[in-house]
Amino acid sequence: MEGENLTSEEQFLIIGFTDLPLLQVPLFIAFLTIYVLTLIGNLLIVSIVYSNSHLHTPMYFFLINVAFIDITNISVTFPPMLIHFFQTGTIISLTKCLLQIYLFLFLLGTEFLILTVMAYDRYVAICYPLHYLSIMNKNMCIQLATGSWLGGILAPLPHITLISRLSYCQSHTINHFFCDFTALMKLSCTSIHGIETLNYVIGSIFALAPFIIVFTSYVKIMSSILNMKSIEGRRKTFSTCGSHLTVVILFFGSVCCTYMRPTSKVSIKENKILALLYTAVPPLCNPIIYSLKNEGFAKGFRKTKSNID
């Protein structure tokens, strides 16, 4: 199957998450559960924010953006992976592979930028509460969100251009659960030095720089929280900020460990685990951290539920 037919048609065989028969059913159930819970949680955010006027604030405006990104991004990777559990491998053309890579990187880059904007929004709200409404006005929110989406749209184009020019001389088997470009690069018989250099450049702009901004924002937020007189207020804010920062570190860290190092040093098994961390954990945890632990959202949820009942 890996011989002349796949090579001449420039198609690839995606193995999936595991080829061990005993793990197929448990992993399928686990990943299907994660996928369904992620969809429900993020759709719940969108519907409740939309239907409650008191949640029409900058924070929830950006949160809807994150929810939409999480729904779309996990839908790019998880459904194909779930299909893999019912067959020995999935054949994908280079065109479809490049499309999946583009969508994944586009949504990944956009989420980096939106999370950075959200950290800035919280920084202004907590550190400069008297100037918050004048700084984070409607036009500013729209501009920040639009800039994030445009940045995400443009970021993957250099990668796609370089990857499309690679030649594949031997194996056409991608040992991954989706068409990840690091796994694709391992199959190339031409130089990938240009793509690896591009990884460092794009990664520094869309991952390291945003992470530094997010981390700095939260350091200043934590400092302001310490000056709060209310012990209960400090506890609640610390809990929410700490949970958010933990997921952000996990998200940014796993992406950087995967893409910002030489392809030759990337372990296939390790790459799959890291990919699972940044494709599944943040979309699943974000609804809990940003909304379910938030008193304003809980009020909106109860109001929406009472209207339905």
Side-chain angles (χ1 to χ4, degrees):
M1 194 172 188
E2 256 192 277
E4 296 178 359
N5 288 337
L6 283 178
T7 305
S8 61
E9 296 175 8
E10 206 65 356
Q11 294 180 326
F12 300 88
L13 180 68
I14 299 181
I15 293 179
F17 196 82
T18 181
D19 55 356
L20 299 177
L22 293 177
L23 295 178
Q24 300 285 356
V25 174
L27 286 177
F28 173 79
I29 294 173
F31 292 147
L32 179 61
T33 302
I34 291 172
Y35 182 57
V36 171
L37 290 177
T38 299
L39 293 183
I40 292 174
N42 285 284
L43 287 173
L44 194 63
I45 287 177
V46 175
S47 61
I48 290 177
V49 172
Y50 179 78
S51 59
N52 289 273
S53 58
H54 76 277
L55 296 179
H56 294 175
T57 62
M59 182 182 78
Y60 286 102
F61 169 72
F62 295 125
L63 184 58
I64 286 180
N65 280 265
V66 173
F68 181 76
I69 293 169
D70 287 341
I71 290 171
T72 310
N73 209 358
I74 199 170
S75 296
V76 169
T77 56
F78 263 54
M81 178 179 66
L82 294 173
I83 294 174
H84 293 155
F85 287 108
F86 294 98
Q87 51 194 39
T88 55
T90 302
I91 295 177
I92 185 172
S93 67
L94 179 60
T95 301
K96 290 182 179 179
C97 187
L98 292 175
L99 177 61
Q100 189 178 48
I101 291 172
Y102 175 79
L103 290 174
F104 178 74
L105 293 180
F106 148 52
L107 293 165
L108 198 68
T110 304
E111 184 153 9
F112 278 145
L113 297 177
I114 290 290
L115 288 175
T116 306
V117 169
M118 289 185 71
Y120 173 72
D121 171 71
R122 291 299 84 204
Y123 163 71
V124 175
I126 294 174
C127 299
Y128 300 97
L130 298 179
H131 303 284
Y132 177 68
L133 293 178
S134 61
I135 296 174
M136 298 302 295
N137 55 62
K138 183 178 180 180
N139 288 336
M140 175 60 74
C141 292
I142 292 174
Q143 289 172 9
L144 289 172
T146 302
S148 299
W149 282 95
L150 288 176
I153 289 170
L154 297 175
L157 295 179
H159 276 96
I160 297 301
T161 301
L162 293 179
I163 294 171
S164 64
R165 296 176 179 175
L166 295 178
S167 298
Y168 308 95
C169 305
Q170 298 178 2
S171 175
H172 278 60
T173 300
I174 299 176
N175 191 355
H176 212 292
F177 59 86
F178 70 100
C179 200
D180 181 66
F181 77 89
T182 56
L184 194 62
M185 285 161 58
K186 280 183 171 291
L187 306 180
S188 174
C189 60
T190 52
S191 174
I192 57 173
H193 177 71
I195 301 177
E196 290 184 330
T197 302
L198 183 64
N199 286 346
Y200 296 125
V201 175
I202 299 296
S204 298
I205 296 172
F206 284 86
L208 287 181
F211 176 74
I212 291 171
I213 294 172
V214 170
F215 188 78
T216 303
S217 297
Y218 272 92
V219 168
K220 293 184 177 181
I221 288 171
M222 295 294 185
S223 177
S224 295
I225 293 172
L226 291 174
N227 295 324
M228 289 182 176
K229 294 182 180 180
S230 170
I231 297 176
E232 182 64 17
R234 286 203 302 266
R235 186 190 66 79
K236 287 183 178 180
T237 311
F238 261 123
S239 174
T240 302
C241 291
S243 300
H244 174 215
L245 196 56
T246 299
V247 173
V248 167
I249 291 173
L250 181 65
F251 181 50
F252 280 68
S254 57
V255 171
C256 289
C257 286
T258 302
Y259 297 118
M260 295 188 67
R261 55 177 174 168
T263 305
S264 59
K265 295 184 179 180
V266 177
S267 163
I268 293 176
K269 290 184 179 180
E270 181 183 350
N271 203 4
K272 285 184 181 181
I273 299 299
L274 288 172
L276 191 62
L277 288 178
Y278 57 74
T279 55
V281 176
L284 182 63
C285 294
N286 282 338
I288 300 172
I289 293 171
Y290 288 113
S291 300
L292 300 184
K293 294 179 68 174
N294 183 282
E295 189 174 330
F297 183 86
K299 180 182 176 182
F301 176 77
R302 289 192 295 269
K303 182 179 178 182
T304 302
K305 186 175 182 296
S306 64
N307 289 337
I308 295 174
D309 295 339

